[in-house]
Amino acid sequence: MSNPESDPDAVVCTSRPAGSVELMAPREVPLGGPRAMAVRRTLPQRHRSLIGAWCFVDHYGPDEVSATGGMVVAPHPHTGLQTVSWVFTGEIDHRDSAGNVATVRPQEVNLMTAGRGISHSEVSTPGTTVLHGAQLWVALPAEHRDTEPGFQHHAPDEVAGDGWRAHVFLGSLLGDASPVATFTPLLGAELVLDPGTHLSVPVDPTFEHGVLVDVGHVEVSGLGVASGDLAYVPTGREEIHLEAGADGARVLVLGGPPFGESIVMWWNFVGRSHDDVVAYRDAWQAQITEAGAVVRDGRQVAPGRFGIVPDQPLPPIPAPALPNARLRDRR
């Protein structure tokens, strides 16, 4: 999913130490016109913008497609990041300019590496009646942020124990490991807890973690976390203690070592400076407008930096206007 806000914030993202588990409440972000779906955004926030290399968490649904029209995101660009798509209900067709065509299904992960630049579209399938999931971004470290675009798909097996079931889509947890390659160590897993289940999850103490509650109520190492909220767990913990409420719960567990770099994130771009973002935006606008050398008579005829999404009739999304203030990177 892109970030199709008409006036997106520019965010300077840095790792910040913490001594205890923190509650991070979401803010609601509308993704389009009056019928468009809204998402709950828990990352980035002013006081905490990164969990490991995870830099963006949007949580959406359950969304009645008949009322909102579902997800219809036309071709748009990305740089300097990986997108991680995970759905609980419904299906989304993905097409990108590297030639990858895939459907995002429940308990299957699609990971797209933008690197130096890619464009893609995402449209919920005609058979989808309810859309519910999470869209996540991972910042690429400086030495890999201009890597070649790529795509990976994985359908993790279920692992289970007394009162719980899990699908590990990145990294390793609860005895299972994902083969999906990332540029920094990462953890990503869906965990379903039966009502009243107590579970101590062994984790890497060098990682910081986030527990996003999808449905239900969970005590996360003593902190009460409601549906839609995210609990931040700092480094140094060898276990995360989870206790599900009376209705059970479903959570996403995310993690990674502190990123150690500051990034500038604006719209669908991750860079290191204001000038990076301006260059990315100018390249995309040149690619999709008559002023660009890759457009003739309103039709794109050459790929440009971000490539062309094949067999996609939707017109590409123009970039919003840049903020008035110059973006400043900091550590």
Side-chain angles (χ1 to χ4, degrees):
M1 187 190 298
S2 89
N3 177 16
E5 293 176 89
S6 59
D7 187 21
D9 290 334
V11 183
V12 178
C13 299
T14 57
S15 298
R16 299 179 186 276
S20 61
V21 181
E22 298 176 350
L23 184 68
M24 300 174 65
R27 63 185 179 95
E28 188 168 288
V29 179
L31 296 186
R35 293 185 69 240
M37 61 187 292
V39 302
R40 297 171 294 279
R41 184 163 299 162
T42 50
L43 203 67
Q45 296 195 12
R46 289 187 183 277
H47 71 286
R48 184 163 305 284
S49 46
L50 290 159
I51 298 176
W54 298 101
C55 61
F56 184 89
V57 176
D58 270 2
H59 178 213
Y60 58 89
D63 180 71
E64 295 290 340
V65 172
S66 61
T68 66
M71 184 180 295
V72 182
V73 183
H76 57 278
H78 288 287
T79 58
L81 56 84
Q82 292 178 301
T83 64
V84 180
S85 299
W86 186 260
V87 298
F88 305 117
T89 308
E91 298 181 346
I92 302 167
D93 285 335
H94 163 101
R95 294 178 180 271
D96 67 43
S97 57
N100 300 294
V101 178
T103 301
V104 185
R105 298 183 176 89
Q107 284 75 55
E108 299 181 6
V109 67
N110 279 2
L111 182 147
M112 183 184 75
T113 299
R116 59 176 174 76
I118 198 170
S119 58
H120 73 138
S121 63
E122 294 157 296
V123 180
S124 48
T125 61
T128 294
T129 57
V130 176
L131 197 58
H132 183 189
Q135 180 63 42
L136 315 156
W137 293 357
V138 176
L140 293 175
E143 65 268 30
H144 296 295
R145 68 188 182 105
D146 290 323
T147 192
E148 290 297 307
F151 185 85
Q152 300 171 76
H153 170 86
H154 176 54
D157 294 331
E158 181 178 276
V159 292
D162 186 14
W164 61 269
R165 297 163 299 286
H167 291 84
V168 181
F169 52 87
L170 291 180
S172 60
L173 192 72
L174 295 167
D176 195 27
S178 168
V180 176
T182 57
F183 291 87
T184 58
L186 289 174
L187 169 64
E190 176 188 303
L191 183 57
V192 178
L193 304 173
D194 292 340
T197 294
H198 293 247
L199 179 64
S200 291
V201 183
V203 292
D204 187 331
T206 68
F207 281 24
E208 51 188 357
H209 293 86
V211 179
L212 175 69
V213 178
D214 173 47
V215 293
H217 184 278
V218 182
E219 294 280 332
V220 179
S221 295
L223 178 70
V225 187
S227 176
D229 290 343
L230 184 148
Y232 170 80
V233 182
T235 60
R237 307 293 180 100
E238 295 186 347
E239 291 183 326
I240 298 176
H241 301 281
L242 303 177
E243 179 182 347
D247 296 323
R250 178 168 58 198
V251 304
L252 290 183
V253 182
L254 309 173
F259 191 55
E261 302 177 24
S262 67
I263 60 174
V264 175
M265 186 165 64
W266 178 82
W267 195 43
N268 295 306
F269 305 131
V270 170
R272 294 302 187 278
S273 69
H274 173 90
D275 292 338
D276 282 349
V277 170
V278 171
Y280 299 151
R281 183 189 183 279
D282 288 350
W284 176 246
Q285 288 303 104
Q287 180 170 314
I288 67 171
T289 63
E290 292 284 355
V294 295
V295 175
R296 295 290 182 273
D297 299 324
R299 186 174 66 88
Q300 190 172 343
V301 295
R305 176 179 190 137
F306 298 97
I308 301 172
V309 178
D311 303 319
Q312 176 51 265
L314 296 170
I317 300 174
L322 284 162
N324 293 326
R326 182 177 176 83
L327 308 179
R328 181 175 60 87
D329 63 334
R330 55 184 170 85
R331 297 182 185 277

